[in-house]
Amino acid sequence: MGGKSHSSSELPPFPLTGLPGQETSQNWMFLLLGILYIVSIVGNALILFIIKDVQSLHQPMYYFLSLLSVNDLGVSFSTLPTVLATFCFHLRKISFDSCMAQIFFIHLFSFMESGILLVMSFDCYAAICNPLRYATVLTDARVVHVGMAVIICSFCVVFPLPFLLKRLSFCKANILSHAYCLHPDLIRLPCGDITINNIFGQFIVISNFGLDSALILLSYMLILRSVLTITSREGRLKTLDTCGSHMCAVLMFYVPMVGVSMADHYERHAPQYMHVLMSLIYLFVLPMLNPVIYTIKTKEIHQRLCKILLGTKF
């Protein structure tokens, strides 16, 4: 639908859809998302508290896990304001500048999560393939440097996105498909030339998510080769179990991402609410599942959590 062209500075607020075609289920959707938010925020906060409180967890693996928990909290708080406004208070509009800020933070934390999973895979590789050099390779100083590198690289990659969008003119019915702002959703709305935006978007996805996933796959191939040299079946399983939580986190991150990409590509042939639900899984389920999996799979965290919640002595 066409209309008068507007620059970004004079745009009216963008309407937020929420869950199209499912207006009668909006309250149930808020209840579901509220539960996911609570589990995510409380779970990740507990992991941070436990790692800080337990001296034996002051190791590179758990430092990276702390960074992952901080990142998941960032994802949750990035979407919370507009989701709360849309599903609870029925305030379904967002200004252009607020939308740009939300796009920046959502995509910043997405790229950071990919980078964190990559450095965690390197941590698994170092622990399994070079255990004697592990302490000398991953010192506390290097962990800090690696964490800062992930944050700075992700910031530099995402920083141009809002500025590339602000230069465009909008002349359509600027209705967003979600209860929050995403770059792939907003980039469909401008009536001008979006070639540069598309090229830049594809470049950062391939250069970051593509490269990160390839390096993670390479690290696991090297880990598997090392594990196969262990003679006993019990030893192989025990060694693989040390990075089982990370493998689950990687699958949970990249599988929904592929699903969102497929929904974007085939959205003409699928109901709109299916596209929205795939995005909800990507942004809401993952931050909730990460602390659950690491709590179940990590003995020290599991025991400490039981002691906090149940007063159990270990």
Side-chain angles (χ1 to χ4, degrees):
M1 184 169 62
K4 182 181 177 181
S5 176
H6 297 275
S7 67
S8 60
S9 60
E10 58 186 16
L11 275 174
F14 289 170
L16 297 165
T17 302
L19 198 63
Q22 304 293 312
E23 285 75 12
T24 58
S25 305
Q26 302 284 1
N27 291 333
W28 289 106
M29 178 58 64
F30 175 71
L31 178 62
L32 172 62
L33 295 181
I35 294 172
L36 294 178
Y37 272 127
I38 292 171
V39 175
S40 172
I41 294 170
V42 173
N44 284 295
L46 279 172
I47 283 184
L48 290 172
F49 171 77
I50 291 170
I51 292 175
K52 178 181 180 296
D53 192 52
V54 179
Q55 189 66 32
S56 62
L57 298 181
H58 293 181
Q59 304 174 33
M61 170 186 173
Y62 298 106
Y63 294 149
F64 291 135
L65 177 56
S66 297
L67 189 57
L68 183 65
S69 292
V70 170
N71 190 81
D72 285 340
L73 287 172
V75 172
S76 296
F77 285 119
S78 295
T79 57
L80 180 59
T82 51
V83 169
L84 189 66
T86 300
F87 290 113
C88 187
F89 300 107
H90 306 290
L91 303 175
R92 300 177 180 273
K93 290 185 178 181
I94 184 172
S95 68
F96 182 82
D97 289 337
S98 298
C99 190
M100 291 301 98
Q102 190 171 52
I103 283 177
F104 174 79
F105 284 109
I106 288 176
H107 290 285
L108 172 66
F109 290 120
S110 294
F111 282 107
M112 279 180 57
E113 181 130 359
S114 180
I116 294 167
L117 291 174
L118 174 59
V119 298
M120 291 178 78
S121 71
F122 176 75
D123 175 77
C124 289
Y125 166 79
I128 293 174
C129 300
N130 294 286
L132 298 179
R133 298 183 56 198
Y134 180 81
T136 57
V137 171
L138 283 173
T139 62
D140 289 351
R142 282 189 179 145
V143 169
V144 172
H145 292 157
V146 169
M148 290 301 298
V150 169
I151 295 171
I152 292 171
C153 288
S154 300
F155 178 86
C156 292
V157 165
V158 179
F159 184 72
L161 280 182
F163 296 99
L164 288 174
L165 287 168
K166 284 179 74 72
R167 70 182 182 85
L168 299 173
S169 297
F170 295 78
C171 56
K172 300 179 182 179
N174 298 318
I175 300 174
L176 301 176
S177 305
H178 308 278
Y180 40 84
C181 294
L182 289 176
H183 182 264
D185 194 22
L186 195 66
I187 200 63
R188 300 190 188 96
L189 303 180
C191 52
D193 184 11
I194 59 171
T195 303
I196 295 177
N197 298 70
N198 283 331
I199 292 174
F200 181 75
Q202 292 172 4
F203 169 74
I204 63 174
V205 167
I206 294 172
S207 63
N208 285 268
F209 291 134
L211 182 60
D212 288 350
S213 60
L215 291 175
I216 290 172
L217 180 61
L218 176 61
S219 69
Y220 272 102
M221 290 174 62
L222 296 173
I223 289 171
L224 184 60
R225 187 182 68 175
S226 179
V227 168
L228 292 176
T229 62
I230 301 174
T231 55
S232 68
R233 181 175 179 272
E234 182 180 349
R236 289 195 295 268
L237 292 176
K238 185 177 180 180
T239 303
L240 282 175
D241 189 59
T242 60
C243 52
S245 301
H246 179 260
M247 286 191 285
C248 293
V250 168
L251 290 174
M252 288 190 306
F253 179 75
Y254 283 104
V255 170
M257 183 187 296
V258 172
V260 171
S261 299
M262 294 292 288
D264 279 331
H265 187 69
Y266 294 108
E267 68 171 337
R268 293 181 180 178
H269 309 289
Q272 179 63 28
Y273 71 86
M274 287 299 296
H275 173 74
V276 176
L277 285 176
M278 288 300 298
S279 297
L280 290 174
I281 291 172
Y282 174 63
L283 288 172
F284 295 88
V285 176
L286 182 60
M288 180 271 296
L289 284 181
N290 275 338
V292 172
I293 287 177
Y294 276 97
T295 299
I296 293 172
K297 296 286 291 181
T298 307
K299 182 180 178 181
E300 294 87 347
I301 294 178
H302 177 75
Q303 290 180 341
R304 186 65 174 179
L305 183 62
C306 289
K307 186 175 182 180
I308 292 171
L309 298 179
L310 305 176
T312 306
K313 294 183 180 180
F314 291 92

